[in-house]
Amino acid sequence: QVQLVESGGGLVQAGGSLRLSCAASGRTFSLYAMAWFRQAPGKEREFVAAISWSGGNTYYGDSVKGRFTISRDNAKNTVYLQMISLKPEDTAVYSCAQGRIAYNTGESPAEFGSWGQGTQVTVSS
């Protein structure tokens, strides 16, 4: 079974930056798309970003496009989310997820299954 562990969350002022990391177990990490989702209290889980199995394609939710960047380091079995120009509305628990099927692009949120426990990001105004 896949195990995902997020880290890097914290408290930051509006306009600041954070980089989240997600460490994954498994011998075939490089074959699967990876994604980040977030959920704020009282709100539905929201798609944030995804990266294809090859790393050649990335996708972003409209609310974070231009501010967040997803990347992966297959040698470290890790996916990252670089966040800049943070806003109070970015406050949420951020979780990473792995694609259900190998070689998918990751362009659809429905492609993802296994979830980590999440890391809290709080942006003060």
Side-chain angles (χ1 to χ4, degrees):
Q1 295 183 343
V2 175
Q3 292 186 340
L4 304 172
V5 181
E6 300 93 340
S7 62
L11 175 64
V12 64
Q13 293 184 350
S17 302
L18 284 173
R19 188 175 79 154
L20 307 183
S21 298
C22 174
S25 66
R27 306 179 190 275
T28 57
F29 170 81
S30 63
L31 305 183
Y32 292 85
M34 297 293 296
W36 287 94
F37 293 77
R38 68 186 183 185
Q39 188 167 25
K43 295 186 177 181
E44 297 290 324
R45 190 184 302 276
E46 178 187 14
F47 171 76
V48 175
I51 186 166
S52 64
W53 69 273
S54 66
N57 296 287
T58 57
Y59 309 90
Y60 298 94
D62 289 340
S63 63
V64 306
K65 191 172 299 182
R67 299 187 298 119
F68 292 8
T69 302
I70 188 171
S71 62
R72 66 192 299 162
D73 185 340
N74 290 341
K76 297 181 178 180
N77 271 25
T78 301
V79 62
Y80 303 96
L81 184 68
Q82 179 66 56
M83 306 182 294
I84 65 171
S85 301
L86 284 163
K87 306 174 181 179
E89 51 262 45
D90 294 320
T91 296
V93 174
Y94 286 70
S95 302
C96 64
Q98 184 170 290
R100 299 178 185 272
I101 302 173
Y103 306 113
N104 276 14
T105 63
E107 63 186 294
S108 173
E111 296 180 17
F112 299 93
S114 298
W115 298 88
Q117 293 298 310
T119 184
Q120 176 71 48
V121 172
T122 302
V123 184
S124 62
S125 60

